[in-house]
Amino acid sequence: MSEARERAATGPPVRPRGWARRHRGLLIAVVVLLLGAVLVSFRPWESCGPGLRAVDADEESVGSSYVCVGLNLDSGPMRDDDPLDPLEKLIKSRNETAGDNFKTIVVLENLAPDPKVDSQPFPFVRREIQGAITAAWPKNGPPGIKLLLANYGSNADHWRVVAEEIVAAAGAQRIVAVTDVGTSSENSRALVAELSRHGIATIGATVTADNMNTDPKGARIDNFFRVGPTNTDEARAAAGYIAAHGFRRVMMIQGVSKEDTYATTLADAFQNSSKVPVIFTKTYDVKPLTDTSRETYLRGLFSRWHNDICGAKPDLIYFAGRGLDLGALVAALAGDGACEGLDTVTVMTGDDASTLAGKPLQLNKDISVKLRYTALAYPDQWDMFAADPAHPTYKKNHDNFVAEFTGTHGFPRGNCGTVPR
């Protein structure tokens, strides 16, 4: 039989199935697992939107595995279940009605503070955003204003990203100013200096560190303006109060983080201004924490200082540190046992104590604590102008201001305005 006939009779040779075909189910499972790993790593559904970039976050602390940093051009969410989402939607809706002849103001802050790292509580940040919305769109405000939020993350670590995005969008978005600037720090100084280098003005609504108007090299920053006084002004006011009220044994507790220029310049300013000698000083720093919050860590640290403070017997403690840290100190002073010969102590600090607004403090326990701070303004102060013939219009102007801004967008009356820090 010929070879052709033999092939025709027996059919084509039978080839064994390849490995992939024999283990098709296993191969599909491996592909699915690999694809899942890729999706978990890159999480494409978590796109942060134009002007923003995703960075890793502590999900336990901020409720999200990522946070968006940069300039929020679309006013979308910046993390999982973003608690600022209602405000971002309000901003987006108002921006869409600004028309063609608009100007844009950027509000710069750490919009997702991490309790393990940051000193400002989230409710304070939310009030800042509400204040910015109220200022941009009051009851009878002119049209043509847009508002954009910028997030530079914890410790302003991502300030370079923010600077790049603001500079890139400045022309198309007609950005006229960047305001708020968040907290006084080395990173925020660098950011303000970089924006100035590109001709963008910044307004420090909430920064008081003496060196905020100079760049990291010490050169003066052009086009930077601050609303509040400096820490030197606050320290001088505190020193005058201390001397006038007869305090004689003054102790100082100060934050010494090089990044936190609010605390360091406030401490220096008080040392230079105090008319009463500082008899005792203790310092603290907060390193990156992994298993506890900043407040809890400092509550334990200040508790360990209790015996030292009892031994020093100060009648006043000047606290050169953040408001959140002050809350931990007050809790330790008042609640960690009585001191022989120290029944009452006054604690004085700078304006960052305002971040504790709305948070109850237990001041009268084992030791009675009297808390004082150099507030920049308070509502009742305007009443004194009503009967002052030298300032006949001050009270009227203030009342008109309150009427224009209070209650706008349904925000509570107590959220009117912010204070420098």
Side-chain angles (χ1 to χ4, degrees):
M1 182 180 294
S2 69
E3 183 178 350
R5 288 182 179 180
E6 185 175 351
R7 284 202 305 270
T10 60
V14 178
R15 296 184 176 89
R17 290 186 299 166
W19 184 92
R21 296 184 64 184
R22 284 185 285 116
H23 300 85
R24 185 176 181 181
L26 177 61
L27 185 61
I28 291 174
V30 170
V31 170
V32 170
L33 287 174
L34 290 175
L35 180 59
V38 170
L39 291 178
V40 169
S41 299
F42 291 100
R43 304 177 76 127
W45 57 87
E46 292 177 348
S47 173
C48 286
L52 296 170
R53 307 178 198 178
V55 297
D56 291 336
D58 186 338
E59 188 164 5
E60 180 181 347
S61 295
V62 301
S64 176
S65 61
Y66 75 101
V67 169
C68 299
V69 297
L71 180 63
N72 196 353
L73 292 171
D74 279 354
S75 299
M78 288 182 283
R79 53 170 159 160
D80 281 331
D81 299 322
D82 190 350
L84 288 175
D85 184 61
L87 297 180
E88 290 155 351
K89 288 179 178 176
L90 174 58
I91 291 172
K92 184 177 181 65
S93 66
R94 295 304 297 256
N95 285 347
E96 290 174 347
T97 63
D100 296 330
N101 188 26
F102 65 88
K103 302 293 183 182
T104 297
I105 298 171
V106 175
V107 180
L108 175 64
E109 237 310 358
N110 173 15
L111 299 176
D114 182 347
K116 292 182 179 179
V117 179
D118 301 308
S119 61
Q120 71 268 52
F122 177 76
F124 190 83
V125 174
R126 176 163 35 210
R127 289 195 296 271
E128 287 185 306
I129 304 305
Q130 290 173 334
I133 292 172
T134 301
W137 301 300
K139 293 176 183 177
N140 301 305
I145 298 295
K146 280 188 175 183
L147 203 65
L148 293 176
L149 303 183
N151 180 29
Y152 56 24
S154 294
N155 288 325
D157 284 342
H158 303 285
W159 69 267
R160 293 183 187 276
V161 174
V162 173
E164 291 173 5
E165 295 297 340
I166 291 176
V167 170
Q173 293 296 324
R174 303 177 189 173
I175 295 174
V176 294
V178 175
T179 189
D180 195 354
V181 188
T183 58
S184 302
S185 70
E186 290 300 312
N187 285 341
S188 58
R189 287 174 68 199
L191 173 54
V192 170
E194 181 66 13
L195 294 177
S196 173
R197 195 171 69 84
H198 290 274
I200 298 174
T202 55
I203 302 171
T206 60
V207 289
T208 57
D210 289 70
N211 58 3
M212 272 302 300
N213 62 337
T214 60
D215 67 18
K217 295 182 179 180
R220 186 175 182 85
I221 299 175
D222 294 329
N223 297 318
F224 172 72
F225 310 91
R226 69 167 99 219
V227 175
T230 65
N231 281 346
T232 292
D233 296 322
E234 293 194 35
R236 287 173 178 166
Y241 177 92
I242 291 169
H245 287 76
F247 293 99
R248 290 293 176 264
R249 295 184 62 79
V250 176
M251 172 184 176
M252 183 165 70
I253 295 176
Q254 66 176 99
V256 293
S257 170
K258 293 181 179 179
E259 171 60 28
D260 188 1
T261 55
Y262 168 83
T264 55
T265 62
L266 185 62
D268 290 343
F270 183 73
Q271 286 277 28
N272 295 331
S273 302
S274 181
K275 302 172 185 178
V276 180
V278 177
I279 62 169
F280 190 42
T281 299
K282 292 193 75 77
T283 63
Y284 74 93
D285 195 359
V286 182
K287 304 298 183 183
L289 304 171
T290 57
D291 57 354
T292 189
S293 70
R294 178 186 180 110
E295 186 174 12
T296 301
Y297 166 77
L298 287 175
R299 175 66 172 83
L301 174 64
F302 295 149
S303 291
R304 294 193 291 273
W305 291 0
H306 196 72
N307 288 339
D308 292 338
I309 295 174
C310 288
K313 292 183 174 58
D315 53 11
L316 183 138
I317 297 174
Y318 190 80
F319 184 74
R322 291 290 175 178
L324 183 68
D325 306 345
L326 173 67
L329 173 66
V330 169
L333 277 175
D336 282 352
C339 290
E340 183 178 353
L342 186 63
D343 298 325
T344 302
V345 64
T346 297
V347 177
M348 176 167 281
T349 188
D351 64 276
D352 200 56
S354 61
T355 59
L356 293 174
K359 182 176 182 178
L361 298 175
Q362 299 295 323
L363 300 177
N364 296 302
K365 298 179 74 176
D366 301 320
I367 296 176
S368 178
V369 178
K370 297 179 180 179
L371 184 58
R372 302 287 185 267
Y373 70 99
T374 46
L376 304 180
Y378 57 96
D380 294 341
Q381 76 180 62
W382 297 98
D383 293 336
M384 72 178 68
F385 292 122
D388 186 352
H391 306 94
T393 62
Y394 279 21
K395 182 66 165 61
K396 179 181 177 181
N397 291 341
H398 176 257
D399 290 343
N400 291 339
F401 173 85
V402 171
E404 180 69 15
F405 289 92
T406 299
T408 305
H409 311 293
F411 300 149
R413 179 185 177 90
N415 288 355
C416 183
T418 59
V419 296
R421 64 186 191 278

Short mmCIF file of all heavy atoms in Angstrom, two decimals, residues 286-340:
data_model
loop_
_atom_site.label_atom_id
_atom_site.label_comp_id
_atom_site.label_asym_id
_atom_site.label_seq_id
_atom_site.Cartn_x
_atom_site.Cartn_y
_atom_site.Cartn_z
N VAL A 286 7.35 64.84 67.90
CA VAL A 286 6.46 63.75 67.55
C VAL A 286 7.01 63.09 66.29
O VAL A 286 6.92 63.65 65.20
CB VAL A 286 5.02 64.23 67.31
CG1 VAL A 286 4.11 63.04 67.00
CG2 VAL A 286 4.51 64.98 68.53
N LYS A 287 7.60 61.92 66.46
CA LYS A 287 8.10 61.16 65.32
C LYS A 287 6.94 60.46 64.63
O LYS A 287 5.85 60.34 65.20
CB LYS A 287 9.14 60.14 65.79
CG LYS A 287 10.31 60.74 66.55
CD LYS A 287 11.11 61.71 65.70
CE LYS A 287 12.31 62.25 66.47
NZ LYS A 287 13.07 63.25 65.67
N PRO A 288 7.13 59.97 63.39
CA PRO A 288 6.05 59.22 62.73
C PRO A 288 5.57 58.06 63.58
O PRO A 288 6.36 57.28 64.10
CB PRO A 288 6.72 58.74 61.44
CG PRO A 288 7.79 59.75 61.16
CD PRO A 288 8.30 60.15 62.52
N LEU A 289 4.26 57.98 63.77
CA LEU A 289 3.66 56.96 64.61
C LEU A 289 2.95 55.92 63.76
O LEU A 289 2.39 56.24 62.71
CB LEU A 289 2.66 57.61 65.57
CG LEU A 289 3.21 58.74 66.46
CD1 LEU A 289 2.07 59.45 67.18
CD2 LEU A 289 4.21 58.19 67.45
N THR A 290 2.97 54.67 64.21
CA THR A 290 2.35 53.59 63.43
C THR A 290 1.17 52.94 64.15
O THR A 290 0.26 52.43 63.49
CB THR A 290 3.38 52.50 63.11
OG1 THR A 290 3.94 51.99 64.33
CG2 THR A 290 4.50 53.05 62.23
N ASP A 291 1.18 52.95 65.48
CA ASP A 291 0.16 52.19 66.20
C ASP A 291 -0.66 53.03 67.16
O ASP A 291 -1.41 52.49 67.97
CB ASP A 291 0.82 51.04 66.97
CG ASP A 291 1.89 51.53 67.93
OD1 ASP A 291 2.20 52.73 67.91
OD2 ASP A 291 2.43 50.69 68.70
N THR A 292 -0.55 54.35 67.09
CA THR A 292 -1.33 55.20 67.98
C THR A 292 -1.47 56.58 67.36
O THR A 292 -0.78 56.92 66.39
CB THR A 292 -0.65 55.31 69.36
OG1 THR A 292 -1.53 55.99 70.26
CG2 THR A 292 0.66 56.10 69.28
N SER A 293 -2.37 57.37 67.92
CA SER A 293 -2.56 58.73 67.40
C SER A 293 -1.58 59.69 68.04
O SER A 293 -1.01 59.41 69.11
CB SER A 293 -4.00 59.20 67.69
OG SER A 293 -4.17 59.41 69.08
N ARG A 294 -1.40 60.82 67.43
CA ARG A 294 -0.53 61.87 67.97
C ARG A 294 -1.00 62.28 69.36
O ARG A 294 -0.20 62.43 70.29
CB ARG A 294 -0.54 63.06 67.00
CG ARG A 294 0.29 64.27 67.46
CD ARG A 294 0.09 65.43 66.51
NE ARG A 294 0.86 66.60 66.91
CZ ARG A 294 1.92 67.08 66.27
NH1 ARG A 294 2.34 66.47 65.18
NH2 ARG A 294 2.54 68.16 66.69
N GLU A 295 -2.30 62.48 69.51
CA GLU A 295 -2.85 62.93 70.78
C GLU A 295 -2.62 61.90 71.88
O GLU A 295 -2.24 62.25 73.01
CB GLU A 295 -4.34 63.22 70.63
CG GLU A 295 -4.98 63.84 71.85
CD GLU A 295 -6.42 64.25 71.60
OE1 GLU A 295 -6.98 63.84 70.57
OE2 GLU A 295 -6.97 64.97 72.45
N THR A 296 -2.85 60.63 71.58
CA THR A 296 -2.67 59.58 72.59
C THR A 296 -1.21 59.45 72.99
O THR A 296 -0.88 59.29 74.17
CB THR A 296 -3.19 58.24 72.05
OG1 THR A 296 -4.58 58.36 71.73
CG2 THR A 296 -3.01 57.13 73.07
N TYR A 297 -0.32 59.54 72.01
CA TYR A 297 1.11 59.46 72.30
C TYR A 297 1.54 60.58 73.25
O TYR A 297 2.24 60.36 74.24
CB TYR A 297 1.92 59.52 71.00
CG TYR A 297 3.39 59.77 71.21
CD1 TYR A 297 4.24 58.75 71.63
CD2 TYR A 297 3.92 61.04 71.00
CE1 TYR A 297 5.59 58.99 71.84
CE2 TYR A 297 5.27 61.29 71.20
CZ TYR A 297 6.11 60.26 71.62
OH TYR A 297 7.45 60.50 71.83
N LEU A 298 1.11 61.81 72.94
CA LEU A 298 1.52 62.94 73.76
C LEU A 298 0.85 62.92 75.13
O LEU A 298 1.43 63.38 76.12
CB LEU A 298 1.22 64.25 73.04
CG LEU A 298 2.14 64.56 71.86
CD1 LEU A 298 1.70 65.81 71.14
CD2 LEU A 298 3.59 64.70 72.32
N ARG A 299 -0.36 62.38 75.21
CA ARG A 299 -1.01 62.25 76.52
C ARG A 299 -0.14 61.39 77.45
O ARG A 299 0.05 61.71 78.62
CB ARG A 299 -2.39 61.61 76.34
CG ARG A 299 -3.14 61.31 77.64
CD ARG A 299 -3.50 62.59 78.37
NE ARG A 299 -4.38 62.31 79.50
CZ ARG A 299 -3.98 61.92 80.71
NH1 ARG A 299 -2.67 61.76 80.94
NH2 ARG A 299 -4.84 61.70 81.68
N GLY A 300 0.42 60.31 76.92
CA GLY A 300 1.31 59.47 77.71
C GLY A 300 2.62 60.16 78.05
O GLY A 300 3.12 60.05 79.18
N LEU A 301 3.19 60.89 77.07
CA LEU A 301 4.46 61.59 77.31
C LEU A 301 4.29 62.64 78.40
O LEU A 301 5.11 62.73 79.33
CB LEU A 301 4.94 62.24 76.01
CG LEU A 301 6.19 63.14 76.14
CD1 LEU A 301 7.39 62.32 76.56
CD2 LEU A 301 6.46 63.88 74.84
N PHE A 302 3.25 63.46 78.30
CA PHE A 302 3.05 64.52 79.28
C PHE A 302 2.73 63.93 80.66
O PHE A 302 3.06 64.56 81.68
CB PHE A 302 1.93 65.46 78.82
CG PHE A 302 2.26 66.22 77.57
CD1 PHE A 302 1.25 66.59 76.67
CD2 PHE A 302 3.56 66.58 77.26
CE1 PHE A 302 1.54 67.30 75.52
CE2 PHE A 302 3.86 67.30 76.11
CZ PHE A 302 2.85 67.65 75.23
N SER A 303 2.11 62.77 80.71
CA SER A 303 1.87 62.13 82.01
C SER A 303 3.18 61.79 82.70
O SER A 303 3.30 61.90 83.93
CB SER A 303 1.03 60.86 81.81
OG SER A 303 -0.29 61.17 81.42
N ARG A 304 4.17 61.38 81.94
CA ARG A 304 5.48 61.03 82.52
C ARG A 304 6.21 62.26 83.04
O ARG A 304 7.18 62.14 83.79
CB ARG A 304 6.33 60.28 81.50
CG ARG A 304 5.75 58.91 81.12
CD ARG A 304 6.74 58.06 80.37
NE ARG A 304 7.03 58.56 79.04
CZ ARG A 304 6.31 58.27 77.95
NH1 ARG A 304 5.24 57.49 78.06
NH2 ARG A 304 6.64 58.75 76.77
N TRP A 305 5.79 63.46 82.63
CA TRP A 305 6.40 64.69 83.12
C TRP A 305 5.73 65.20 84.39
O TRP A 305 6.13 66.23 84.94
CB TRP A 305 6.27 65.78 82.05
CG TRP A 305 7.10 65.56 80.83
CD1 TRP A 305 7.95 64.52 80.57
CD2 TRP A 305 7.16 66.41 79.69
NE1 TRP A 305 8.52 64.66 79.33
CE2 TRP A 305 8.05 65.82 78.77
CE3 TRP A 305 6.54 67.61 79.34
CZ2 TRP A 305 8.35 66.39 77.53
CZ3 TRP A 305 6.83 68.17 78.11
CH2 TRP A 305 7.73 67.58 77.22
N HIS A 306 4.71 64.53 84.87
CA HIS A 306 3.90 65.05 85.96
C HIS A 306 4.74 65.37 87.20
O HIS A 306 4.60 66.45 87.80
CB HIS A 306 2.80 64.05 86.31
CG HIS A 306 1.70 64.63 87.15
ND1 HIS A 306 0.77 65.52 86.66
CD2 HIS A 306 1.38 64.45 88.45
CE1 HIS A 306 -0.07 65.87 87.61
NE2 HIS A 306 0.27 65.23 88.72
N ASN A 307 5.61 64.47 87.59
CA ASN A 307 6.43 64.70 88.78
C ASN A 307 7.38 65.88 88.60
O ASN A 307 7.62 66.65 89.54
CB ASN A 307 7.23 63.44 89.13
CG ASN A 307 6.35 62.33 89.68
OD1 ASN A 307 5.25 62.58 90.17
ND2 ASN A 307 6.82 61.10 89.58
N ASP A 308 7.94 66.02 87.38
CA ASP A 308 8.84 67.15 87.13
C ASP A 308 8.10 68.49 87.26
O ASP A 308 8.62 69.46 87.82
CB ASP A 308 9.45 67.04 85.74
CG ASP A 308 10.41 65.87 85.62
OD1 ASP A 308 10.91 65.43 86.66
OD2 ASP A 308 10.64 65.41 84.49
N ILE A 309 6.88 68.53 86.75
CA ILE A 309 6.10 69.76 86.82
C ILE A 309 5.71 70.05 88.27
O ILE A 309 5.77 71.20 88.73
CB ILE A 309 4.86 69.66 85.91
CG1 ILE A 309 5.30 69.57 84.44
CG2 ILE A 309 3.94 70.86 86.11
CD1 ILE A 309 4.16 69.31 83.47
N CYS A 310 5.33 69.00 89.00
CA CYS A 310 4.99 69.18 90.41
C CYS A 310 6.19 69.73 91.18
O CYS A 310 6.04 70.60 92.05
CB CYS A 310 4.55 67.86 91.02
SG CYS A 310 2.92 67.28 90.48
N GLY A 311 7.37 69.23 90.86
CA GLY A 311 8.57 69.70 91.55
C GLY A 311 8.92 71.13 91.22
O GLY A 311 9.40 71.88 92.09
N ALA A 312 8.68 71.55 89.98
CA ALA A 312 9.00 72.92 89.57
C ALA A 312 8.01 73.93 90.14
O ALA A 312 8.34 75.10 90.32
CB ALA A 312 9.04 73.03 88.05
N LYS A 313 6.77 73.49 90.39
CA LYS A 313 5.72 74.34 90.95
C LYS A 313 5.55 75.67 90.19
O LYS A 313 5.60 76.77 90.77
CB LYS A 313 5.97 74.63 92.43
CG LYS A 313 5.82 73.41 93.33
CD LYS A 313 6.02 73.79 94.78
CE LYS A 313 5.72 72.60 95.70
NZ LYS A 313 6.58 71.42 95.39
N PRO A 314 5.35 75.62 88.86
CA PRO A 314 5.13 76.87 88.12
C PRO A 314 3.74 77.43 88.41
O PRO A 314 2.79 76.67 88.64
CB PRO A 314 5.24 76.42 86.66
CG PRO A 314 4.77 74.99 86.69
CD PRO A 314 5.23 74.42 88.00
N ASP A 315 3.62 78.73 88.42
CA ASP A 315 2.28 79.31 88.49
C ASP A 315 1.73 79.56 87.08
O ASP A 315 0.53 79.78 86.91
CB ASP A 315 2.23 80.58 89.34
CG ASP A 315 3.25 81.63 88.94
OD1 ASP A 315 3.88 81.47 87.87
OD2 ASP A 315 3.43 82.60 89.68
N LEU A 316 2.63 79.50 86.07
CA LEU A 316 2.19 79.61 84.67
C LEU A 316 3.09 78.76 83.79
O LEU A 316 4.32 78.75 83.96
CB LEU A 316 2.21 81.06 84.19
CG LEU A 316 1.70 81.28 82.76
CD1 LEU A 316 0.81 82.52 82.69
CD2 LEU A 316 2.84 81.40 81.75
N ILE A 317 2.47 78.03 82.88
CA ILE A 317 3.20 77.26 81.87
C ILE A 317 2.92 77.89 80.51
O ILE A 317 1.74 78.01 80.11
CB ILE A 317 2.77 75.78 81.85
CG1 ILE A 317 3.10 75.11 83.18
CG2 ILE A 317 3.45 75.03 80.70
CD1 ILE A 317 2.58 73.68 83.29
N TYR A 318 3.97 78.33 79.81
CA TYR A 318 3.78 78.82 78.45
C TYR A 318 4.00 77.65 77.51
O TYR A 318 5.07 77.03 77.51
CB TYR A 318 4.74 79.96 78.10
CG TYR A 318 4.37 80.60 76.79
CD1 TYR A 318 3.33 81.53 76.72
CD2 TYR A 318 5.01 80.25 75.60
CE1 TYR A 318 2.96 82.10 75.51
CE2 TYR A 318 4.64 80.80 74.40
CZ TYR A 318 3.61 81.74 74.35
OH TYR A 318 3.24 82.28 73.16
N PHE A 319 2.98 77.36 76.71
CA PHE A 319 3.02 76.20 75.82
C PHE A 319 3.25 76.66 74.39
O PHE A 319 2.37 77.26 73.77
CB PHE A 319 1.73 75.40 75.92
CG PHE A 319 1.73 74.13 75.11
CD1 PHE A 319 2.46 73.03 75.54
CD2 PHE A 319 1.03 74.04 73.91
CE1 PHE A 319 2.48 71.85 74.80
CE2 PHE A 319 1.04 72.88 73.17
CZ PHE A 319 1.77 71.78 73.61
N ALA A 320 4.44 76.40 73.86
CA ALA A 320 4.77 76.75 72.48
C ALA A 320 4.63 75.48 71.64
O ALA A 320 5.60 74.79 71.34
CB ALA A 320 6.19 77.30 72.38
N GLY A 321 3.41 75.19 71.30
CA GLY A 321 3.12 73.98 70.53
C GLY A 321 1.75 74.07 69.91
O GLY A 321 1.04 75.09 70.03
N ARG A 322 1.33 73.00 69.24
CA ARG A 322 0.08 72.97 68.52
C ARG A 322 -1.12 72.81 69.46
O ARG A 322 -1.02 72.25 70.55
CB ARG A 322 0.10 71.83 67.50
CG ARG A 322 1.07 72.07 66.35
CD ARG A 322 0.56 73.17 65.45
NE ARG A 322 1.51 73.52 64.39
CZ ARG A 322 1.26 74.42 63.47
NH1 ARG A 322 0.11 75.07 63.48
NH2 ARG A 322 2.14 74.70 62.54
N GLY A 323 -2.28 73.29 68.99
CA GLY A 323 -3.48 73.22 69.79
C GLY A 323 -3.87 71.80 70.16
O GLY A 323 -4.28 71.54 71.30
N LEU A 324 -3.77 70.87 69.23
CA LEU A 324 -4.11 69.48 69.52
C LEU A 324 -3.21 68.94 70.62
O LEU A 324 -3.66 68.21 71.51
CB LEU A 324 -3.98 68.62 68.26
CG LEU A 324 -4.37 67.15 68.40
CD1 LEU A 324 -5.87 67.01 68.63
CD2 LEU A 324 -3.95 66.36 67.17
N ASP A 325 -1.93 69.31 70.60
CA ASP A 325 -0.99 68.87 71.64
C ASP A 325 -1.33 69.51 72.98
O ASP A 325 -1.14 68.89 74.03
CB ASP A 325 0.44 69.24 71.24
CG ASP A 325 0.81 68.71 69.85
OD1 ASP A 325 0.09 67.83 69.33
OD2 ASP A 325 1.82 69.19 69.29
N LEU A 326 -1.84 70.73 72.94
CA LEU A 326 -2.25 71.41 74.17
C LEU A 326 -3.34 70.63 74.89
O LEU A 326 -3.36 70.53 76.12
CB LEU A 326 -2.73 72.82 73.84
CG LEU A 326 -3.35 73.62 74.98
CD1 LEU A 326 -2.31 73.95 76.03
CD2 LEU A 326 -4.01 74.88 74.45
N GLY A 327 -4.28 70.08 74.13
CA GLY A 327 -5.34 69.29 74.74
C GLY A 327 -4.80 68.11 75.52
O GLY A 327 -5.28 67.79 76.62
N ALA A 328 -3.75 67.45 74.99
CA ALA A 328 -3.13 66.32 75.69
C ALA A 328 -2.43 66.80 76.96
O ALA A 328 -2.47 66.13 78.00
CB ALA A 328 -2.14 65.62 74.77
N LEU A 329 -1.78 67.97 76.90
CA LEU A 329 -1.10 68.50 78.08
C LEU A 329 -2.10 68.84 79.19
O LEU A 329 -1.89 68.50 80.36
CB LEU A 329 -0.30 69.75 77.71
CG LEU A 329 0.32 70.50 78.89
CD1 LEU A 329 1.40 69.65 79.56
CD2 LEU A 329 0.89 71.84 78.45
N VAL A 330 -3.18 69.51 78.84
CA VAL A 330 -4.18 69.89 79.83
C VAL A 330 -4.77 68.65 80.49
O VAL A 330 -4.97 68.61 81.71
CB VAL A 330 -5.28 70.76 79.18
CG1 VAL A 330 -6.46 70.92 80.12
CG2 VAL A 330 -4.72 72.12 78.79
N ALA A 331 -5.03 67.61 79.70
CA ALA A 331 -5.59 66.38 80.26
C ALA A 331 -4.62 65.75 81.26
O ALA A 331 -5.03 65.25 82.31
CB ALA A 331 -5.90 65.39 79.12
N ALA A 332 -3.32 65.78 80.93
CA ALA A 332 -2.32 65.19 81.83
C ALA A 332 -2.17 66.03 83.10
O ALA A 332 -2.06 65.50 84.21
CB ALA A 332 -0.99 65.06 81.11
N LEU A 333 -2.15 67.35 82.96
CA LEU A 333 -2.00 68.22 84.13
C LEU A 333 -3.17 68.07 85.10
O LEU A 333 -2.98 67.92 86.31
CB LEU A 333 -1.92 69.69 83.68
CG LEU A 333 -0.57 70.22 83.24
CD1 LEU A 333 -0.73 71.64 82.73
CD2 LEU A 333 0.46 70.18 84.36
N ALA A 334 -4.37 68.12 84.54
CA ALA A 334 -5.56 68.14 85.39
C ALA A 334 -5.90 66.78 85.96
O ALA A 334 -6.44 66.70 87.07
CB ALA A 334 -6.74 68.68 84.60
N GLY A 335 -5.59 65.71 85.24
CA GLY A 335 -6.13 64.42 85.61
C GLY A 335 -5.18 63.36 86.09
O GLY A 335 -5.59 62.21 86.28
N ASP A 336 -3.91 63.70 86.32
CA ASP A 336 -2.93 62.66 86.67
C ASP A 336 -2.47 62.74 88.12
O ASP A 336 -1.37 62.34 88.45
CB ASP A 336 -1.72 62.74 85.74
CG ASP A 336 -2.02 62.12 84.38
OD1 ASP A 336 -3.09 61.51 84.24
OD2 ASP A 336 -1.19 62.26 83.48
N GLY A 337 -3.30 63.28 88.99
CA GLY A 337 -2.96 63.30 90.40
C GLY A 337 -2.64 64.69 90.92
O GLY A 337 -2.21 65.58 90.17
N ALA A 338 -2.86 64.86 92.20
CA ALA A 338 -2.62 66.16 92.82
C ALA A 338 -1.13 66.39 93.07
O ALA A 338 -0.35 65.43 93.17
CB ALA A 338 -3.38 66.25 94.14
N CYS A 339 -0.75 67.65 93.12
CA CYS A 339 0.63 68.04 93.45
C CYS A 339 0.62 68.81 94.76
O CYS A 339 -0.17 69.74 94.93
CB CYS A 339 1.22 68.94 92.37
SG CYS A 339 1.58 68.13 90.81
N GLU A 340 1.51 68.47 95.65
CA GLU A 340 1.62 69.20 96.90
C GLU A 340 2.13 70.62 96.62
O GLU A 340 3.18 70.80 96.00
CB GLU A 340 2.56 68.48 97.86
CG GLU A 340 2.66 69.16 99.21
CD GLU A 340 3.57 68.41 100.17
OE1 GLU A 340 4.01 67.30 99.81
OE2 GLU A 340 3.84 68.93 101.27
#
